[in-house]
Amino acid sequence: MPTSLAHHYHQALRDQDILNQLSSHYPDGPTLHQLAPLDQLHIGGIAASKRLLDLLDQSAPMALDIGAGLGGLMRQGAALGFHLTGLDITHRFNVLNQAISELAMTQPPNDSSAGTLRCVTGDACALPFSDASFDAVLFQHSLMNMPDPARVLAECRRVLRPGGQLVMHEVVSGPHCEALRFPVPWAEGPTHSHLLTLAALTQRLQTAGFDIRHCEDWSDTALEWRQRQRQKEQAAHATVLSPQWVFGERFVQMGKNLLENLANGAINVVEISARC
């Protein structure tokens, strides 16, 4: 399971081409917005990441990003002063994530307001961290790849300090889940797609010992965002970076299906904040 899931994500990844492109076009280091077409691959982009980070307690800066991908959420959080550990099962994502961060870091190393970043390759079902070692755990379009959410959430509860936060920006099954079309960015087919309904997700959180403080369905906003992105993707002009540098030509169909799945109610997008 883990090996084939990693293969889904890295099979078309243009690691060195991406680094060459960044160095060529952004010699002074890319900004968060310049990187967004590459490293903010979730629905809602950089604005959705801001919403998620705004839910975090600024006085508790140690956070774990599970399913960190290429690190867009991590770098955005570090710019706000959070100290982010990114865990991903795809090792090539972690290596590229670190390399992108090295290119993007424009703040002086002695800037006390900047957060720190580190990447770890691992499985969310067996987090390689000590008990009570984080103030917050973040999920952004990652729990949907995990076949054993109960075990994952139990691990989150273990590594969180008392009163710690768990925040999510996740895709869940919609009212017409039978209409779900593949491929989508998180899966070629049903094998790696493990969408829960919102009711099932909240129940699992409560069973794992979390008290839900905020739960919002913003599928309408997600659909509007995806419609705008689709128009950009269909434009004829070449872009410096795009999701195709990660997913290859597959993303043309993935992007189309993602829009249709949102429009027909096969998937919804939710935002959740909970505490131990």
Side-chain angles (χ1 to χ4, degrees):
M1 162 66 186
T3 302
S4 56
L5 176 59
H7 178 73
H8 164 72
Y9 283 111
H10 74 214
Q11 61 179 291
L13 185 62
R14 298 168 58 183
D15 317 50
Q16 194 56 52
D17 288 343
I18 287 170
L19 296 177
N20 293 341
Q21 186 85 333
L22 291 174
S23 297
S24 173
H25 284 80
Y26 309 120
D28 296 327
T31 66
L32 295 177
H33 283 84
Q34 287 167 341
L35 285 170
L38 177 80
D39 67 2
Q40 301 267 3
L41 296 179
H42 46 269
I43 299 166
I46 204 166
S49 293
K50 182 181 185 303
R51 287 175 56 119
L52 194 64
L53 292 165
D54 284 346
L55 295 173
L56 294 181
D57 184 349
Q58 290 277 349
S59 65
M62 304 297 293
L64 170 64
D65 181 3
I66 295 182
L70 294 183
L73 179 64
M74 292 178 64
R75 284 180 285 275
Q76 199 168 339
L80 298 174
F82 292 103
H83 302 286
L84 269 296
T85 296
L87 179 117
D88 205 284
I89 205 165
T90 306
H91 184 63
R92 282 174 61 189
F93 271 9
N94 292 325
V95 173
L96 184 55
N97 182 356
Q98 290 178 296
I100 292 171
S101 290
E102 290 172 5
L103 290 175
M105 288 300 179
T106 56
Q107 294 169 310
N110 61 351
D111 184 352
S112 60
S113 67
T116 55
L117 297 168
R118 67 168 174 154
C119 296
V120 177
T121 301
D123 189 335
C125 283
L127 293 174
F129 309 110
S130 303
D131 294 358
S133 51
F134 293 98
D135 300 306
V137 173
L138 300 86
F139 287 87
Q140 190 170 46
H141 289 29
S142 52
L143 189 68
M144 58 190 183
N145 270 141
M146 301 175 188
D148 192 352
R151 186 174 172 186
V152 171
L153 293 176
E155 279 289 276
C156 292
R157 181 68 182 82
R158 179 183 66 77
V159 302
L160 277 170
R161 296 181 179 125
Q165 287 182 279
L166 183 148
V167 296
M168 290 183 162
H169 168 222
E170 278 294 325
V171 177
V172 296
S173 287
H176 302 293
C177 57
E178 73 285 349
L180 182 61
R181 296 188 179 188
F182 292 101
V184 286
W186 68 90
E188 293 278 0
T191 301
H192 298 312
S193 183
H194 302 284
L195 301 181
L196 297 169
T197 64
L198 179 56
L201 175 55
T202 54
Q203 179 61 49
R204 288 188 183 278
L205 285 166
Q206 291 165 344
T207 300
F210 291 98
D211 177 26
I212 297 173
R213 305 291 181 88
H214 166 84
C215 182
E216 181 178 351
D217 184 315
W218 59 283
S219 301
D220 290 343
T221 302
L223 175 59
E224 292 171 3
W225 179 88
R226 184 60 211 151
Q227 288 169 333
R228 293 194 299 272
Q229 291 303 111
R230 181 67 176 161
Q231 290 174 349
K232 293 177 184 177
E233 291 158 7
Q234 290 176 318
H237 67 278
T239 57
V240 175
L241 297 170
S242 83
Q244 290 193 39
W245 290 71
V246 179
F247 292 110
E249 292 300 321
R250 298 178 300 163
F251 188 76
V252 175
Q253 190 61 47
M254 288 176 173
K256 179 183 177 184
N257 289 344
L258 193 58
L259 177 57
E260 292 182 3
N261 289 331
L262 281 165
N264 66 19
I267 59 173
N268 284 344
V269 179
V270 299
E271 187 180 79
I272 294 173
S273 176
R275 287 192 181 268
C276 298

